Amino acid sequence: MTIELGRAQTTRWRSAGTVACGIALPFLLAGCGGGEGLSSSSGSAVRAPAPAGVSRDALVGRWGIASFHTEKDRKRTEAEARSQCKQPYVITQGPGDGVMMHVADDPKPYELRLKAGAGGKTYVGFEAPAGDPQDRELLSVKPKELVMRFVDPDAHARYGTFIYSRCG
């Protein structure tokens, strides 16, 4: 399943070092109350249906990660993601039907689930309607590569579009 990027990226490419800083930043900010309000579910949340054709097994594994802001930088970002397998980001199965991943600006991993959204879009996020600001939109899902971005415009502007390259 491949989904094209929905809007143009407008800033510069991020190197692995910049991505590492973006991933490490939540750990530095953990004492600043950045994790408040990140409830994984609420009693009134509507459960979004699971997407057809994408299973949690497609996300589980060891991944090299890099991000980009402009489409012209995508190819070299793919190569940079592959080179990050020396220090892979690991996505594991959650205790429920989701996967364990970090969210923007929080050092703690949470169980996130796959959700089907309007227009055939696929999201991964908390128990909330698909497309919630804390979700990531899966732009492309292939056996050896995932491409996703945060739905929240501020998080997307800071982190860019992520390429996850499956490590051997």
Side-chain angles (χ1 to χ4, degrees):
M1 172 178 171
T2 301
I3 302 171
E4 293 296 319
L5 292 172
R7 77 177 167 175
Q9 308 299 317
T10 58
T11 58
R12 68 181 182 359
W13 172 72
R14 287 194 177 186
S15 68
T18 305
V19 172
C21 289
I23 292 171
L25 182 61
F27 294 98
L28 298 172
L29 297 176
C32 299
E36 294 176 15
L38 290 177
S39 172
S40 62
S41 66
S42 69
S44 63
V46 176
R47 184 178 178 107
V54 178
S55 72
R56 77 174 174 174
D57 291 337
L59 278 64
V60 170
R62 297 164 37 98
W63 301 92
I65 303 175
S67 72
F68 65 94
H69 280 91
T70 59
E71 188 63 29
K72 69 182 175 65
D73 294 321
R74 183 177 179 140
K75 286 292 180 195
R76 76 176 149 179
T77 305
E78 289 170 355
E80 186 66 31
R82 286 188 297 273
S83 77
Q84 296 303 307
C85 283
K86 294 175 219 122
Q87 296 179 334
Y89 179 76
V90 180
I91 300 174
T92 60
Q93 290 185 4
D97 64 352
V99 294
M100 299 301 293
M101 293 181 72
H102 293 89
V103 296
D105 306 321
D106 194 328
K108 180 182 175 202
Y110 291 90
E111 182 168 15
L112 307 176
R113 59 184 301 276
L114 287 160
K115 305 183 282 187
K121 293 182 178 182
T122 302
Y123 299 90
V124 63
F126 291 118
E127 189 71 40
D132 183 81
Q134 291 184 337
D135 287 353
R136 285 184 188 94
E137 179 183 357
L138 276 75
L139 303 172
S140 174
V141 179
K142 298 176 185 173
K144 294 191 179 224
E145 182 184 89
L146 302 173
V147 180
M148 61 179 88
R149 66 176 175 204
F150 287 104
V151 170
D152 176 63
D154 180 58
H156 177 66
R158 287 182 283 128
Y159 294 113
T161 300
F162 286 93
I163 295 182
Y164 292 70
S165 180
R166 190 176 295 278
C167 300

